[in-house]
Amino acid sequence: AATGVAAVLLASLAILAPSARGLNRGEFPTGFLFGAATSAYQVEGAYLEDGKGLSNWDVFTHTHSGDIDDGRNGDVADDHYHRYMEDVEIMHNLGVNSYRFSISWARILPRGKLGGINSAGIAFYDHLIDALLQKGIEPFVTLHHFDLPYELETRYGSWLGAGIREEFDHYADVCFQAFGDRVKFWTTFNEPNLFTKFAYMLGAYPPKRCSPPFGNCHSGNSQQEPYIAAHNILMSHAAAVDNYKKNYQAKQGGLIGIVISMKFYEPLTNSTEDIVAAQRALSFEIHWFLDPIFFGEYPKEMREMLSSNLPEFTPAEKMLLQNRVDFIGVNHYTAIYAKDCISSPCELNTYEGNALVFATGEKDGVRIGKPTALGGFYDVPEGMEQVIKYVNQRYENVTIYVTENGYSEYNNNNMEDMTNDTGRVNYLEGYLSCISSAIRGGAKVRGYFVWSLMDNFEWRFGFTVRFGLYHVDFVTQQRTPKKSAKWYRDFLTGSGPMG
Ligand code: LGS
């Protein structure tokens, strides 16, 4: 399955010719989805309105405000729940033909299966979807983007208890039934590979659990937890896909996939150890979820390192996994160097620690790309082409949507400065050029979503960083287009300097 993997890894980013930047919308296939993305907790606000239940993130931000950089929360966020009509108008002006958003599970089923459907929650998404379609904007919907009803967190530890599988299956079914006549693009989970690490290994996201030696919540939790949570997520995903394929797809004609967070790892040196380490990092990042979905097994590298800490699939689970996804969503923000931590010791406190890899943005004092506000995230557009090629080769030329890609800046509370975001313009232009090049190389990329439509609540960074094409004043809720929004609109409409 991994044909060509070594070749991809050996093609150092440093020696790749920079992509031509003469970017034009016409280079992309007809029907290509160009959009922007958000998620429910990050933009909606209205956290206790119209029958919504408390979510795990509502409770986490209220009880652990010290874990959020500015101590704030998403109670109001962008107030999108009340301003969605204005936001749809903004998207229309921007010229996007798709919008990626997530549904708040706690708005639809405040107590999970127990308490019934909240019709006001259904009505909100009905209105949003209808408003989008009226403007010719295709809804691209995520079912789980980190938030779930708090009651399910207390009952199952979120993803630790197998009972959550039935809950997700029910929630997905309610959504297919309510919205599937109009929604043609579904994804089950956003970045389960990232949030299981943050939630069950590093103690940074709810339910704030750690696996020794990682994280700083020494609660003695077991090393198995991230992998148990992932296993339950994979099976919840598989059940929802099975249901959609059996009961909805023929009638509704939509597609279903899953979104994985994908850094690209470049070996720090030419040593065999570092080359193998970069492969191992990719395995723990990408193969962890996609190998079971495509090949019915966890990757060999993970099994060798984790042995019985990694669950096994039962024959029944393997059967269920055989339902193929229609596409893979790729969230890609950065490439980074990987250094082996097996043959020589290094500090294991980063995201890649469980793969015994140390990730670093520097090689011989030279950075891999221009740094962004998020530590460890650099502007390395060639990494996008590499990650797409990699997924294309390993997973049978699967259809790909780039579901997130974006540039962060520190919020300095100076609107003039924040809207003059040339760094973001360069970033987006570079990454889009590399997607275009990957398509020319044969990859089936069919859509691209900028993270994010507008500045919003950035999880543990709170409001300290801004990712939006639109600046949001969180006091007045005024949205203002940044230079990048104007650039994107010019690119999309074929007018202006990019035309
Ligand atoms: O807001 C999120 C964006 C922004 O940057 C979105 O909800 C997520 O799906 C996604 O993870 N996003 C994202 N990822 C790159 C940075 C991840 C944070 C890791 C911090 C490590 C120090």
Side-chain angles (χ1 to χ4, degrees), residues 42 145 190-191 198 331 333 374-375 377 404 451 458-460 467:
Q42 295 178 276
H145 197 126
N190 177 69
E191 301 189 338
F198 278 95
N331 285 3
Y333 288 85
L374 293 190
F377 286 74
E404 281 182 35
W451 186 273
E458 182 46 49
W459 307 114
R460 63 199 185 119
F467 267 98

PDB file of all heavy atoms in Angstrom, residues 42 145 190-191 198 331 333 374-375 377 404 451 458-460 467, ligand 1:
ATOM      1  N   GLN A  42     -16.957  27.641  17.816  1.00  0.00           N
ATOM      2  CA  GLN A  42     -16.056  28.778  17.597  1.00  0.00           C
ATOM      3  C   GLN A  42     -16.769  30.046  17.128  1.00  0.00           C
ATOM      4  O   GLN A  42     -16.223  31.127  17.252  1.00  0.00           O
ATOM      5  CB  GLN A  42     -14.966  28.378  16.605  1.00  0.00           C
ATOM      6  CG  GLN A  42     -14.063  27.293  17.162  1.00  0.00           C
ATOM      7  CD  GLN A  42     -12.998  26.854  16.170  1.00  0.00           C
ATOM      8  OE1 GLN A  42     -13.245  26.015  15.308  1.00  0.00           O
ATOM      9  NE2 GLN A  42     -11.827  27.423  16.279  1.00  0.00           N
ATOM     10  N   HIS A 145     -17.276  18.527  15.490  1.00  0.00           N
ATOM     11  CA  HIS A 145     -16.087  19.376  15.454  1.00  0.00           C
ATOM     12  C   HIS A 145     -15.736  19.736  16.902  1.00  0.00           C
ATOM     13  O   HIS A 145     -15.935  20.869  17.341  1.00  0.00           O
ATOM     14  CB  HIS A 145     -16.338  20.615  14.591  1.00  0.00           C
ATOM     15  CG  HIS A 145     -15.092  21.333  14.169  1.00  0.00           C
ATOM     16  ND1 HIS A 145     -14.804  21.621  12.860  1.00  0.00           N
ATOM     17  CD2 HIS A 145     -14.059  21.821  14.881  1.00  0.00           C
ATOM     18  CE1 HIS A 145     -13.647  22.263  12.781  1.00  0.00           C
ATOM     19  NE2 HIS A 145     -13.180  22.401  14.001  1.00  0.00           N
ATOM     20  N   ASN A 190     -14.226  15.932  12.584  1.00  0.00           N
ATOM     21  CA  ASN A 190     -13.127  16.831  12.273  1.00  0.00           C
ATOM     22  C   ASN A 190     -11.917  16.473  13.132  1.00  0.00           C
ATOM     23  O   ASN A 190     -12.004  16.472  14.367  1.00  0.00           O
ATOM     24  CB  ASN A 190     -13.525  18.280  12.564  1.00  0.00           C
ATOM     25  CG  ASN A 190     -12.363  19.229  12.308  1.00  0.00           C
ATOM     26  OD1 ASN A 190     -11.966  19.419  11.161  1.00  0.00           O
ATOM     27  ND2 ASN A 190     -11.796  19.802  13.362  1.00  0.00           N
ATOM     28  N   GLU A 191     -10.823  16.155  12.465  1.00  0.00           N
ATOM     29  CA  GLU A 191      -9.524  15.964  13.124  1.00  0.00           C
ATOM     30  C   GLU A 191      -9.558  15.080  14.363  1.00  0.00           C
ATOM     31  O   GLU A 191      -9.032  15.475  15.424  1.00  0.00           O
ATOM     32  CB  GLU A 191      -8.927  17.315  13.515  1.00  0.00           C
ATOM     33  CG  GLU A 191      -8.699  18.253  12.367  1.00  0.00           C
ATOM     34  CD  GLU A 191      -7.900  19.495  12.765  1.00  0.00           C
ATOM     35  OE1 GLU A 191      -7.875  19.847  13.953  1.00  0.00           O
ATOM     36  OE2 GLU A 191      -7.295  20.116  11.865  1.00  0.00           O
ATOM     37  N   PHE A 198      -5.111  15.828  22.131  1.00  0.00           N
ATOM     38  CA  PHE A 198      -5.268  16.973  23.032  1.00  0.00           C
ATOM     39  C   PHE A 198      -6.163  16.636  24.228  1.00  0.00           C
ATOM     40  O   PHE A 198      -5.950  17.130  25.323  1.00  0.00           O
ATOM     41  CB  PHE A 198      -5.822  18.184  22.280  1.00  0.00           C
ATOM     42  CG  PHE A 198      -4.750  18.937  21.537  1.00  0.00           C
ATOM     43  CD1 PHE A 198      -4.500  18.690  20.204  1.00  0.00           C
ATOM     44  CD2 PHE A 198      -3.971  19.880  22.184  1.00  0.00           C
ATOM     45  CE1 PHE A 198      -3.497  19.367  19.523  1.00  0.00           C
ATOM     46  CE2 PHE A 198      -2.962  20.564  21.523  1.00  0.00           C
ATOM     47  CZ  PHE A 198      -2.718  20.315  20.181  1.00  0.00           C
ATOM     48  N   ASN A 331      -6.956  18.620   6.456  1.00  0.00           N
ATOM     49  CA  ASN A 331      -6.670  19.904   7.106  1.00  0.00           C
ATOM     50  C   ASN A 331      -5.153  20.025   7.165  1.00  0.00           C
ATOM     51  O   ASN A 331      -4.489  19.204   7.805  1.00  0.00           O
ATOM     52  CB  ASN A 331      -7.221  19.950   8.533  1.00  0.00           C
ATOM     53  CG  ASN A 331      -8.731  20.127   8.572  1.00  0.00           C
ATOM     54  OD1 ASN A 331      -9.387  20.168   7.536  1.00  0.00           O
ATOM     55  ND2 ASN A 331      -9.281  20.212   9.769  1.00  0.00           N
ATOM     56  N   TYR A 333      -1.838  22.708   7.647  1.00  0.00           N
ATOM     57  CA  TYR A 333      -1.378  24.052   8.024  1.00  0.00           C
ATOM     58  C   TYR A 333       0.124  24.219   7.901  1.00  0.00           C
ATOM     59  O   TYR A 333       0.606  25.325   7.727  1.00  0.00           O
ATOM     60  CB  TYR A 333      -1.770  24.364   9.474  1.00  0.00           C
ATOM     61  CG  TYR A 333      -3.248  24.620   9.661  1.00  0.00           C
ATOM     62  CD1 TYR A 333      -4.145  23.585   9.860  1.00  0.00           C
ATOM     63  CD2 TYR A 333      -3.740  25.927   9.631  1.00  0.00           C
ATOM     64  CE1 TYR A 333      -5.509  23.833  10.026  1.00  0.00           C
ATOM     65  CE2 TYR A 333      -5.087  26.188   9.807  1.00  0.00           C
ATOM     66  CZ  TYR A 333      -5.968  25.134   9.997  1.00  0.00           C
ATOM     67  OH  TYR A 333      -7.301  25.395  10.165  1.00  0.00           O
ATOM     68  N   LEU A 374       0.905  30.664  15.572  1.00  0.00           N
ATOM     69  CA  LEU A 374       0.902  29.432  16.361  1.00  0.00           C
ATOM     70  C   LEU A 374       2.295  28.820  16.367  1.00  0.00           C
ATOM     71  O   LEU A 374       2.847  28.550  15.300  1.00  0.00           O
ATOM     72  CB  LEU A 374      -0.065  28.409  15.758  1.00  0.00           C
ATOM     73  CG  LEU A 374      -1.554  28.724  15.808  1.00  0.00           C
ATOM     74  CD1 LEU A 374      -2.347  27.502  15.400  1.00  0.00           C
ATOM     75  CD2 LEU A 374      -1.984  29.180  17.193  1.00  0.00           C
ATOM     76  N   GLY A 375       2.829  28.602  17.557  1.00  0.00           N
ATOM     77  CA  GLY A 375       4.158  28.007  17.659  1.00  0.00           C
ATOM     78  C   GLY A 375       4.201  26.666  16.933  1.00  0.00           C
ATOM     79  O   GLY A 375       3.290  25.856  17.066  1.00  0.00           O
ATOM     80  N   PHE A 377       4.031  26.254  13.719  1.00  0.00           N
ATOM     81  CA  PHE A 377       3.302  26.316  12.446  1.00  0.00           C
ATOM     82  C   PHE A 377       3.964  27.342  11.531  1.00  0.00           C
ATOM     83  O   PHE A 377       4.085  28.507  11.891  1.00  0.00           O
ATOM     84  CB  PHE A 377       1.827  26.633  12.666  1.00  0.00           C
ATOM     85  CG  PHE A 377       1.086  25.436  13.208  1.00  0.00           C
ATOM     86  CD1 PHE A 377       1.245  25.044  14.523  1.00  0.00           C
ATOM     87  CD2 PHE A 377       0.278  24.676  12.381  1.00  0.00           C
ATOM     88  CE1 PHE A 377       0.610  23.908  15.015  1.00  0.00           C
ATOM     89  CE2 PHE A 377      -0.359  23.546  12.864  1.00  0.00           C
ATOM     90  CZ  PHE A 377      -0.197  23.154  14.189  1.00  0.00           C
ATOM     91  N   GLU A 404      -9.401  22.468   5.494  1.00  0.00           N
ATOM     92  CA  GLU A 404      -8.877  23.623   6.243  1.00  0.00           C
ATOM     93  C   GLU A 404      -7.455  23.930   5.813  1.00  0.00           C
ATOM     94  O   GLU A 404      -6.644  23.012   5.617  1.00  0.00           O
ATOM     95  CB  GLU A 404      -8.834  23.352   7.759  1.00  0.00           C
ATOM     96  CG  GLU A 404     -10.142  23.474   8.465  1.00  0.00           C
ATOM     97  CD  GLU A 404     -10.029  23.235   9.961  1.00  0.00           C
ATOM     98  OE1 GLU A 404      -9.017  23.610  10.571  1.00  0.00           O
ATOM     99  OE2 GLU A 404     -10.977  22.645  10.518  1.00  0.00           O
ATOM    100  N   TRP A 451      -9.461  28.306   6.373  1.00  0.00           N
ATOM    101  CA  TRP A 451      -9.769  28.523   7.781  1.00  0.00           C
ATOM    102  C   TRP A 451      -9.252  29.907   8.117  1.00  0.00           C
ATOM    103  O   TRP A 451      -8.062  30.108   8.090  1.00  0.00           O
ATOM    104  CB  TRP A 451      -9.118  27.475   8.691  1.00  0.00           C
ATOM    105  CG  TRP A 451      -9.618  27.715  10.081  1.00  0.00           C
ATOM    106  CD1 TRP A 451      -9.098  28.556  11.017  1.00  0.00           C
ATOM    107  CD2 TRP A 451     -10.810  27.153  10.649  1.00  0.00           C
ATOM    108  NE1 TRP A 451      -9.884  28.572  12.135  1.00  0.00           N
ATOM    109  CE2 TRP A 451     -10.942  27.722  11.935  1.00  0.00           C
ATOM    110  CE3 TRP A 451     -11.778  26.243  10.196  1.00  0.00           C
ATOM    111  CZ2 TRP A 451     -12.005  27.398  12.779  1.00  0.00           C
ATOM    112  CZ3 TRP A 451     -12.822  25.928  11.043  1.00  0.00           C
ATOM    113  CH2 TRP A 451     -12.933  26.503  12.322  1.00  0.00           C
ATOM    114  N   GLU A 458     -10.561  30.616  19.168  1.00  0.00           N
ATOM    115  CA  GLU A 458      -9.593  29.610  18.711  1.00  0.00           C
ATOM    116  C   GLU A 458      -9.204  28.655  19.851  1.00  0.00           C
ATOM    117  O   GLU A 458      -8.067  28.619  20.312  1.00  0.00           O
ATOM    118  CB  GLU A 458      -8.383  30.319  18.085  1.00  0.00           C
ATOM    119  CG  GLU A 458      -7.311  29.407  17.510  1.00  0.00           C
ATOM    120  CD  GLU A 458      -7.818  28.255  16.655  1.00  0.00           C
ATOM    121  OE1 GLU A 458      -8.648  28.477  15.760  1.00  0.00           O
ATOM    122  OE2 GLU A 458      -7.377  27.121  16.899  1.00  0.00           O
ATOM    123  N   TRP A 459     -10.175  27.881  20.324  1.00  0.00           N
ATOM    124  CA  TRP A 459      -9.943  26.841  21.321  1.00  0.00           C
ATOM    125  C   TRP A 459      -9.031  27.338  22.447  1.00  0.00           C
ATOM    126  O   TRP A 459      -9.312  28.363  23.032  1.00  0.00           O
ATOM    127  CB  TRP A 459      -9.405  25.567  20.659  1.00  0.00           C
ATOM    128  CG  TRP A 459     -10.295  25.112  19.508  1.00  0.00           C
ATOM    129  CD1 TRP A 459      -9.960  25.073  18.180  1.00  0.00           C
ATOM    130  CD2 TRP A 459     -11.664  24.670  19.567  1.00  0.00           C
ATOM    131  NE1 TRP A 459     -11.020  24.628  17.431  1.00  0.00           N
ATOM    132  CE2 TRP A 459     -12.069  24.372  18.239  1.00  0.00           C
ATOM    133  CE3 TRP A 459     -12.602  24.484  20.605  1.00  0.00           C
ATOM    134  CZ2 TRP A 459     -13.358  23.912  17.925  1.00  0.00           C
ATOM    135  CZ3 TRP A 459     -13.886  24.019  20.283  1.00  0.00           C
ATOM    136  CH2 TRP A 459     -14.235  23.741  18.966  1.00  0.00           C
ATOM    137  N   ARG A 460      -7.928  26.656  22.697  1.00  0.00           N
ATOM    138  CA  ARG A 460      -7.154  27.037  23.898  1.00  0.00           C
ATOM    139  C   ARG A 460      -6.419  28.353  23.741  1.00  0.00           C
ATOM    140  O   ARG A 460      -5.872  28.882  24.700  1.00  0.00           O
ATOM    141  CB  ARG A 460      -6.203  25.931  24.312  1.00  0.00           C
ATOM    142  CG  ARG A 460      -5.147  25.599  23.296  1.00  0.00           C
ATOM    143  CD  ARG A 460      -4.606  24.229  23.617  1.00  0.00           C
ATOM    144  NE  ARG A 460      -3.515  23.905  22.735  1.00  0.00           N
ATOM    145  CZ  ARG A 460      -2.287  23.657  23.169  1.00  0.00           C
ATOM    146  NH1 ARG A 460      -1.998  23.732  24.438  1.00  0.00           N
ATOM    147  NH2 ARG A 460      -1.354  23.336  22.308  1.00  0.00           N
ATOM    148  N   PHE A 467      -7.610  34.106  12.622  1.00  0.00           N
ATOM    149  CA  PHE A 467      -7.443  33.293  11.420  1.00  0.00           C
ATOM    150  C   PHE A 467      -8.331  33.775  10.274  1.00  0.00           C
ATOM    151  O   PHE A 467      -8.296  33.218   9.180  1.00  0.00           O
ATOM    152  CB  PHE A 467      -7.852  31.838  11.710  1.00  0.00           C
ATOM    153  CG  PHE A 467      -6.747  30.910  12.143  1.00  0.00           C
ATOM    154  CD1 PHE A 467      -6.527  30.630  13.483  1.00  0.00           C
ATOM    155  CD2 PHE A 467      -5.946  30.289  11.199  1.00  0.00           C
ATOM    156  CE1 PHE A 467      -5.527  29.742  13.874  1.00  0.00           C
ATOM    157  CE2 PHE A 467      -4.950  29.399  11.579  1.00  0.00           C
ATOM    158  CZ  PHE A 467      -4.742  29.132  12.920  1.00  0.00           C
TER     159      PHE A 467
HETATM  160  O1  LGS B   1      -9.683  26.473  14.778  1.00  0.00           O
HETATM  161  C1  LGS B   1      -9.119  25.376  14.328  1.00  0.00           C
HETATM  162  C2  LGS B   1      -8.076  25.559  13.278  1.00  0.00           C
HETATM  163  C3  LGS B   1      -7.060  26.641  13.436  1.00  0.00           C
HETATM  164  O2  LGS B   1      -5.774  25.986  13.356  1.00  0.00           O
HETATM  165  C4  LGS B   1     -10.100  24.339  13.803  1.00  0.00           C
HETATM  166  O3  LGS B   1     -11.260  24.261  14.566  1.00  0.00           O
HETATM  167  C5  LGS B   1      -9.387  23.022  13.872  1.00  0.00           C
HETATM  168  O4  LGS B   1     -10.106  22.093  13.114  1.00  0.00           O
HETATM  169  C6  LGS B   1      -7.915  23.044  13.439  1.00  0.00           C
HETATM  170  O5  LGS B   1      -7.171  22.279  14.344  1.00  0.00           O
HETATM  171  N1  LGS B   1      -7.293  24.356  13.368  1.00  0.00           N
HETATM  172  C7  LGS B   1      -5.966  24.646  13.392  1.00  0.00           C
HETATM  173  N2  LGS B   1      -5.026  23.781  13.403  1.00  0.00           N
HETATM  174  C8  LGS B   1      -3.662  24.065  13.411  1.00  0.00           C
HETATM  175  C9  LGS B   1      -3.204  24.347  14.773  1.00  0.00           C
HETATM  176  C10 LGS B   1      -3.560  23.289  15.743  1.00  0.00           C
HETATM  177  C11 LGS B   1      -3.218  23.739  17.140  1.00  0.00           C
HETATM  178  C12 LGS B   1      -2.074  22.996  17.650  1.00  0.00           C
HETATM  179  C13 LGS B   1      -1.250  23.824  18.575  1.00  0.00           C
HETATM  180  C14 LGS B   1       0.065  23.153  18.855  1.00  0.00           C
HETATM  181  C15 LGS B   1       0.989  24.023  19.624  1.00  0.00           C
END
